[in-house]
Amino acid sequence: DFYLADISAELIIYRYRFTQMLSEYAAKHHGDISDNSEDLKITYSSITGTVSVLEAYLSENNITNEFITRNLSHGDYERIKAILSNHILSKFRSSREYDIEKGVSSIGVNKDDIDISLNGLSMRSFSSQGQQRTAALALKLAELEIICKYTTTMPVLLLDDVFSELDLKRRVSLVSTMKNAQIFITC
């Protein structure tokens, strides 16, 4: 359990950082495509409540930005990892009997997810196909930007039937945001 809790804590740290970057870049691209008429937000959610523990610690110690940009000291990183690991370990222990009885793992990073919202509403329940397509494109462009930022190669972006559910204004905005990428588009 200790080893699994440590690995889970580290995975949550990496996922949380990436989700924060993805949200920032995707919101910018979504704003470009939608002419800033909609607010896209991506959040990482953990069934164990670990994200709340992490955010509380970062806020209390005023180190959120340093954490996201990987400018923390090794000691701070290890403290965060230990806090999260202990939290996860207690969740594992509290669900052990249930998990054994049911034959499932009810707690763990395998149950974590990202939530995508538009103007504060969940996109799963409250968005049109065009809004979903715009958000998906914004995510792809954000991923492209993150890859370019952390590697020396320009990836190829493949977009299949990208314009089918977008109005003319969003089509024009999308094309203008993709001018620096290698792109294959089918229609």
Side-chain angles (χ1 to χ4, degrees):
D1 283 350
F2 293 112
Y3 180 71
L4 184 58
D6 278 349
I7 294 298
S8 296
E10 196 154 357
L11 187 55
I12 288 169
I13 287 169
Y14 283 109
R15 285 177 174 177
Y16 182 82
R17 281 180 176 155
F18 182 75
T19 304
Q20 293 296 313
M21 284 190 298
L22 189 63
S23 184
E24 177 187 340
Y25 291 121
K28 180 180 69 98
H29 288 293
H30 192 275
D32 292 343
I33 297 168
S34 69
D35 198 26
N36 293 315
S37 63
E38 300 167 332
D39 181 34
L40 181 72
K41 184 169 173 81
I42 302 159
T43 54
Y44 177 64
S45 64
S46 174
I47 195 166
T48 59
T50 312
V51 171
S52 299
V53 172
L54 173 60
E55 289 176 338
Y57 182 84
L58 295 174
S59 178
E60 288 168 11
N61 292 284
N62 200 25
I63 55 174
T64 302
N65 191 48
E66 291 84 358
F67 176 78
I68 300 300
T69 59
R70 297 180 180 201
N71 289 324
L72 280 183
S73 70
H74 181 70
D76 282 336
Y77 177 82
E78 288 301 319
R79 268 189 294 285
I80 290 170
K81 186 176 165 187
I83 290 167
L84 298 181
S85 182
N86 289 334
H87 179 79
I88 294 165
L89 186 59
S90 71
K91 294 294 184 175
F92 284 160
R93 288 178 175 160
S94 68
S95 70
R96 178 173 287 155
E97 284 182 37
Y98 175 84
D99 289 356
I100 290 170
E101 180 182 313
K102 298 294 182 186
V104 298
S105 294
S106 62
I107 298 292
V109 293
N110 56 308
K111 301 284 187 171
D112 292 357
D113 204 354
I114 61 169
D115 297 317
I116 303 172
S117 63
L118 194 60
N119 298 332
L121 299 173
S122 171
M123 289 200 68
R124 287 185 181 143
S125 306
F126 299 102
S127 60
S128 68
Q129 287 184 346
Q131 288 171 323
Q132 289 175 5
R133 178 69 76 155
T134 302
L137 291 168
L139 286 167
K140 285 189 179 295
L141 293 171
E143 291 169 347
L144 180 73
E145 190 170 348
I146 291 168
I147 291 169
C148 289
K149 183 175 182 175
Y150 291 100
T151 67
T152 58
T153 59
M154 172 65 81
V156 175
L157 182 60
L158 305 173
L159 299 175
D160 183 30
D161 198 24
V162 70
F163 297 121
S164 66
E165 293 165 0
L166 299 178
D167 59 35
L168 180 60
K169 188 175 184 180
R170 288 182 191 235
R171 289 176 191 171
V172 171
S173 296
L174 174 64
V175 170
S176 70
T177 64
M178 299 186 305
K179 58 186 168 216
N180 295 325
Q182 298 180 62
I183 304 167
F184 286 96
I185 300 175
T186 66
C187 37

